[in-house]
Amino acid sequence: MQAKEAAEKLGITQRMLRHYENEGLIEIDRSENGYRRYSESDLRRAGRIRDFIATGFSTREIKSMSACLSDEGAGPCEGGVIKMQEKLEHIERLQADLDARKQAVLDRIEELKQGLAAEPLEL
């Protein structure tokens, strides 16, 4: 199938498919006229890449997990669980940082409100 149909089937843009290819995450056959031809295996691989990106992995990180992208790696793959646990720990650290920042903003808003309430109104 050609790129347009593949992108539609995956729910991504053709540009994203080209990006996966440019990053070395996927290798696509070409027809005699130069059009990209996606096999069912290519679609499964691209779907896995899309899913990893959606969970916060960079293309560099995904490339290091290439064994998890092929049909042979469709099940548990070497290092995959470890990489996913590391990503989860990273997300949890980011979440804790965001929670702390949110609380600091809420505290500051409360201080400002109390300051405004304490000031007498001038007429």
Side-chain angles (χ1 to χ4, degrees):
M1 97 183 40
Q2 291 187 349
K4 182 177 181 181
E5 186 181 355
E8 287 173 359
K9 200 168 188 176
L10 291 165
I12 59 175
T13 64
Q14 292 180 60
R15 185 171 184 256
M16 285 305 301
L17 283 173
R18 287 190 304 274
H19 177 65
Y20 298 169
E21 188 176 3
N22 291 338
E23 290 294 319
L25 297 172
I26 193 167
E27 228 176 275
I28 304 301
D29 288 331
R30 296 198 181 240
S31 62
E32 287 182 22
N33 60 7
Y35 289 128
R36 290 173 175 86
R37 282 191 324 218
Y38 292 84
S39 67
E40 288 300 317
S41 177
D42 295 332
L43 290 180
R44 288 188 294 273
R45 185 177 182 96
R48 291 179 190 113
I49 295 166
R50 175 204 58 208
D51 294 347
F52 276 123
I53 288 173
T55 57
F57 284 88
S58 68
T59 53
R60 180 183 49 79
E61 290 170 318
I62 295 168
K63 198 170 189 177
S64 74
M65 298 170 52
S66 62
C68 300
L69 301 175
S70 68
D71 282 347
E72 293 80 32
C77 60
E78 188 174 333
V81 172
I82 292 169
K83 293 286 187 184
M84 294 294 281
Q85 288 172 327
E86 289 171 356
K87 180 55 72 177
L88 182 59
E89 290 169 5
H90 180 246
I91 290 169
E92 288 171 343
R93 284 191 304 273
L94 291 172
Q95 183 67 51
D97 183 52
L98 286 173
D99 287 344
R101 290 177 189 210
K102 178 182 176 182
Q103 190 58 54
V105 169
L106 290 170
D107 292 347
R108 184 68 178 136
I109 289 170
E110 191 56 39
E111 289 172 13
L112 292 172
K113 282 181 179 179
Q114 288 176 2
L116 288 172
E119 289 183 24
L121 292 176
E122 292 184 31
L123 298 175

